[in-house]
Amino acid sequence: MRPKKEEHPEYYNYYVNLVTQEDVVNALTETKKTCLDFIKNIPIELANYAYADRKWTIKQVLIHCVDTERIISTRALKFARGETQKPLSFDENLYAANSDADLRSIKDIEEEFEAVRNATIALFKSFSFETLMAVGNTPSGIATVNSMGYMICGHTVHHLNIIKDRYLKK
C-alpha cells in the first residue's frame, strides 16, 4: 500500500509521488529494472561528464543513489527492529567527493546498484504489514518503514530524471 502523507516527513512527498506502484516490493523491483536498463544505455563517453562546474558526474550521481539506498534501508531495518535512536544525517557531497567514481566503470556501478537493490528487496519482502507500519525518527522527521522504501524508489527515479534532463540532453 502507498504511504499516506502523515506517514512520513513532508520532505518525502516529492519522492513518494514519483513512485506509481501500489506496493513497496513491486516499486523496488520495477524501479530496479528501470534503473538497470537506464544505466546500460548511458554512453560510456558521458560517464564522467558533469553538466556544470562543481556538479557531480553521471557516475557520482549513480553512486549517490546506491549510497543513499544503503543508508535509508539501514534506517528502515533499525526502525523495523525497534531501534528508537534518531539516526544522524549524512553529507551527500562528502560521500560523492570520496566515492572514487572516476576510478570505477559504469558496469561496476551497475553491478553494485543491482546487488544493493536485491538486498533491499529481500529486506522489504521480509517485513510483515505491522513491520512496514513501524515508525522511526529520521533526520527529517517521523517515517514508517514502508514510506522509507518508497523514498528509496522515488529518490532513484528523481536522479534518473536529472541525468536524462541535464546530462544526456547535450
Side-chain angles (χ1 to χ4, degrees):
M1 73 258 133
R2 294 184 60 76
K4 298 177 180 97
K5 285 184 180 183
E6 58 272 9
E7 293 178 19
H8 52 78
E10 187 175 328
Y11 169 75
Y12 281 31
N13 285 338
Y14 168 76
Y15 297 101
V16 170
N17 289 334
L18 291 174
V19 181
T20 59
Q21 294 80 9
E22 295 296 322
D23 169 81
V24 69
V25 173
N26 287 338
L28 289 162
T29 302
E30 290 179 26
T31 56
K32 175 183 106 172
K33 292 174 191 165
T34 302
C35 190
L36 289 173
D37 289 343
F38 181 83
I39 294 171
K40 288 174 182 162
N41 288 303
I42 293 173
I44 298 294
E45 64 274 10
L46 293 179
N48 289 310
Y49 170 71
Y51 67 90
D53 284 341
R54 299 184 348 184
K55 293 295 181 181
W56 297 341
T57 66
I58 289 175
K59 290 194 296 188
Q60 285 176 310
V61 172
L62 295 172
I63 293 169
H64 165 72
C65 290
V66 173
D67 288 348
T68 301
E69 181 159 337
R70 279 187 168 114
I71 290 165
I72 295 175
S73 64
T74 299
R75 290 175 184 168
L77 173 63
K78 287 179 174 193
F79 301 154
R81 301 296 192 254
E83 177 66 58
T84 58
Q85 288 185 329
K86 182 178 177 179
L88 299 173
S89 60
F90 69 102
D91 182 340
E92 62 189 26
N93 290 309
L94 184 64
Y95 277 53
N98 290 295
S99 68
D100 291 329
D102 57 328
L103 303 177
R104 298 182 60 195
S105 70
I106 283 283
K107 181 68 176 163
D108 178 52
I109 296 167
E110 173 192 334
E111 290 171 356
E112 182 181 11
F113 173 83
E114 185 171 22
V116 170
R117 180 54 62 92
N118 285 339
T120 303
I121 292 168
L123 177 65
F124 276 82
K125 277 184 175 178
S126 76
F127 294 152
S128 66
F129 174 80
E130 291 76 20
T131 301
L132 287 172
M133 293 297 97
V135 297
N137 193 8
T138 75
S140 301
I142 301 297
T144 63
V145 170
N146 187 52
S147 68
M148 296 175 85
Y150 273 81
M151 176 65 174
I152 289 168
C153 295
H155 180 262
T156 301
V157 170
H158 163 73
H159 282 290
L160 293 184
N161 289 339
I162 287 177
I163 292 172
K164 286 177 202 168
D165 293 342
R166 299 183 189 167
Y167 292 78
L168 300 180
K169 288 187 178 178
K170 291 178 34 165

